[in-house]
């Protein structure tokens, strides 16, 4: 091949490379966005903002008159719009596009959707069980903490 032909091929490849990388980046990002949709991440973040606001108001009832401002502050700093792009970048770094496709295939299945709806309830049940076990054995813990007893 002559030099002009090689030059043309090199230029074509250089021109196509960014477009191909952009397409790969776009499909990778789309896989992350699909995972967010399948796992209802935006809804979970919105709920967590409301939970944090409610906890703040419960701990400090005088803040009730400032509820809207507190909620707006939380939305601004830990809400979906505040976190979305950072979360996308974290997921892009953590998972390859192929891994995301596999994960999304699972979450698209009936079993994957059941995990999404059932797991939070199971975590709450586990936490209640753990707290109950700790409360049932608080005397033993107190003895260990004070140096009057030892762990079994």
């Amino acid at each position: 091949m002559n030099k002009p032909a090689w030059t043309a091929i090199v230029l074509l490849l250089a021109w196509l490379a960014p477009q191909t990388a952009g397409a790969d980046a776009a499909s990778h990002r789309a896989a992350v966005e699909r995972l967010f949709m399948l796992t209802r991440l935006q809804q979970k973040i919105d709920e967590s903002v409301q939970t944090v606001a409610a906890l703040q108001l419960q701990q400090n009832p005088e803040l009730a008159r400032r509820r809207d401002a507190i909620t707006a502050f939380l939305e601004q700093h830990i809400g979906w719009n505040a976190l979305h792009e950072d979360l996308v970048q974290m997921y892009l770094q953590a998972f390859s596009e192929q891994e995301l496709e596999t994960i999304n295939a699972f979450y698209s299945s009936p079993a994957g959707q059941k995990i999404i709806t059932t797991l939070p309830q199971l975590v709450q049940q586990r936490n209640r069980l753990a707290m109950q076990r700790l409360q049932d054995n608080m005397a033993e813990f107190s003895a260990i903490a004070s140096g009057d007893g030892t762990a079994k």
Side-chain angles (χ1 to χ4, degrees):
M1 225 184 272
N2 60 24
K3 187 172 180 174
W6 276 108
T7 304
I9 291 172
V10 168
L11 288 174
L12 178 63
L13 290 174
W15 180 75
L16 288 176
Q19 293 178 353
T20 304
D24 289 346
S27 62
H28 193 182
R29 183 183 180 94
V32 169
E33 295 288 358
R34 178 155 170 72
L35 178 61
F36 289 173
M37 187 265 312
L38 288 168
T39 59
R40 302 177 194 132
L41 187 59
Q42 181 175 356
Q43 175 187 346
K44 291 175 184 176
I45 288 174
D46 291 343
E47 289 170 358
S48 72
V49 166
Q50 296 304 315
T51 299
V52 171
L55 286 171
Q56 289 299 313
L57 295 172
Q58 182 181 10
Q59 292 173 357
N60 192 350
E62 305 95 51
L63 295 177
R65 62 186 171 78
R66 303 290 300 144
R67 176 186 201 98
D68 291 344
I70 290 167
T71 302
F73 170 84
L74 293 171
E75 295 258 349
Q76 179 183 356
H77 295 288
I78 63 169
W80 176 250
N81 290 334
L83 297 178
H84 179 253
E85 187 57 35
D86 291 328
L87 293 172
V88 168
Q89 293 307 314
M90 289 188 310
Y91 279 68
L92 287 171
Q93 290 177 8
F95 301 105
S96 70
E97 185 174 352
Q98 185 176 11
E99 290 169 329
L100 287 163
E101 288 172 6
T102 302
I103 293 165
N104 288 341
F106 170 71
Y107 280 127
S108 296
S109 73
Q113 287 298 298
K114 186 171 183 177
I115 283 283
I116 292 167
T117 59
T118 306
L119 196 56
Q121 297 162 1
L122 293 174
V123 168
Q124 286 179 346
Q125 290 174 359
R126 181 205 63 206
N127 290 345
R128 282 194 297 270
L129 176 62
M131 290 305 296
Q132 185 61 50
R133 297 265 173 98
L134 286 174
Q135 288 174 356
D136 291 349
N137 295 287
M138 194 50 73
E140 181 182 350
F141 176 79
S142 295
I144 293 168
S146 66
D148 295 338
T150 59
K152 293 180 181 178

